[in-house]
Amino acid sequence: MRSYDYIIVGSGLAGLYTAYRASVYGKVALLTKSNIRESNSYFAQGGIAAVTGEDDAPLFHFQDTITAGRGLCDYPAVHVLVNEGPVRIQELINDGMHFDTENGELALGLEGGHHQKRILHAGGDATGRMITNFVIDKVEHCPSVEVFDNHAVIALLQDEHGCYGVRCWDFNENREEVFTGHNVLLTSGGTSAIYKRTTNPHTTIGDGLALTFEAGCEIADMEFIQFHPSAIYTPSGEAYLVSEAVRGEGAHLLNQQGERFMVGKHELAELAPRDIVAQSIFLQMKQNNQDYVYLSLKHLDPEKIKKRFPNIFEKCAELGIDMTDRIPVAPAAHYTVGGVRTDLNGRTNIPHLYVCGELASSGIMGANRLASNSLIECLVYGKRAVEDSVRNRREAPVPEITPRFRLDARKLDAYLQLKTEVADIMTQEAGIIRNKSGLQEGLNRLEALKAKENFEANEYYSLVSKNLLTVAELIIRSALFREESRGGHFRSDYPNPEDAFVCHIIQQKEKEIRTLPVQLKMENE
């Protein structure tokens, strides 16, 4: 057993930032499934949304977030994000973070769903890498933070006083290790790699969701999976993200006949919120029986494009694509909008267990995440969680824990086969456009897989196989329950939004699925 003040699980921006903030208050163990440079945050191209321009205001950011969220955003959560975001950005700048500038001022970009230029970038299209590396450097120079690479968390430890630690599998030593702490913060990301075509690292399969569900946490709004509209299409099936900022610079979406198809669909055309653009592309592909559409930049200044998007330009060239002409693109699973329900300080319904970042359902995103709100959420809610945990330190004694898990390497192939089968089911039956019969078929297929799997108690690959099936079921059951279309959830059999579903859908282990009202007023109103 290893004992710390803080156990932080996950090494995206939320995990790194909370580790950096928590290091002031005690000894921190930062556990990561692979390494600290393998995360959605690290690969984020677009930028980070916060009000810094003189012609912008938190109210405008609030309105854009609410509009994108299709009536399901909790107003208090969004209010916190847009008002505290600029403060967190200024703190980073004061600490030495360099965002791109133009004529001595912060260079601000425009992305889908935003009506003001408020997207900060670093290194052009390498914002995630630049800001993550910046915080990694801070963490690596914190003597009170210890990083544990290749440590996959396999269970939460809790008693009548709440959470007090985690079990994890140490792939370096090929053994189970137990970490205990006064507070546990989960920041292990979403679940988009459960789909066949995804912009996420292959490790992003919802481990944190499954762990928290098994522990009794409330899981909210899992039907809302955001598909990024523009990921490079490749015959191999690999998907490479093309930042929304490319459309922000004026790129057009063209169908196979060379026609712009977003004009007339939304007032912002190509810069409409992601759910609308992804659904429109999907329908164009279906109508024309094609695997992709085109993102055309041929009408833009090629030198400006190369300078603004050096990494995307290089990736396109590597794939034999001239970015200054046109790029074949198709939607790919990108972001888990729902997650573990938390309050305004990252608290879950289990004492001393906090959740931040993409894993959390804090009420900000509603039915559809506004572009570039994810990185700023990590900073705002990471800071709040750490500050709250200082006042909420667990003082109850920790029981002695003995390791019980093992890993049977012979089960790896069966797990990989199951992962492929689950990805097929989710892509076919719970993708961009769903319906009752397809979702029910998907659920039946998952149940059949569960019935035939040979799960062994306390064995690593049996556990992660069960986790895959748990996460897939959470998505499908929630999608079946929501008999309407809204944001990232489109039902062809219920194509319109319904007032009866202005609610959050909550799932909890061994309880009936239920709903909670959306907070459409500020707490002091």
Side-chain angles (χ1 to χ4, degrees), residues 101 127 191 216 244 265 314 385 401 414 444 450-451 455 488:
T101 57
T127 307
T191 182
E244 194 140 331
K265 287 235 170 47
E314 188 179 321
I401 299 296
N444 293 343
K450 192 189 297 184
F455 298 126

Side-chain angles (χ1 to χ4, degrees), residues 44-49 111 119-122 127-128 243 245 371-376:
Q45 299 169 346
I48 185 166
E111 292 185 10
I119 315 302
L120 294 92
H121 298 93
T127 307
S243 168
S372 290
N373 266 358
S374 52
L375 293 180
I376 196 66

Side-chain angles (χ1 to χ4, degrees), residues 12-54:
L13 183 59
L16 292 163
Y17 189 75
T18 51
Y20 174 45
R21 287 291 183 182
S23 66
V24 178
Y25 302 110
K27 200 165 65 158
V28 179
L30 178 62
L31 311 178
T32 176
K33 189 176 178 181
S34 51
N35 65 74
I36 55 175
R37 287 179 172 82
E38 179 82 5
S39 69
N40 280 340
S41 301
Y42 189 82
F43 295 112
Q45 299 169 346
I48 185 166
V51 172
T52 58
E54 290 184 4

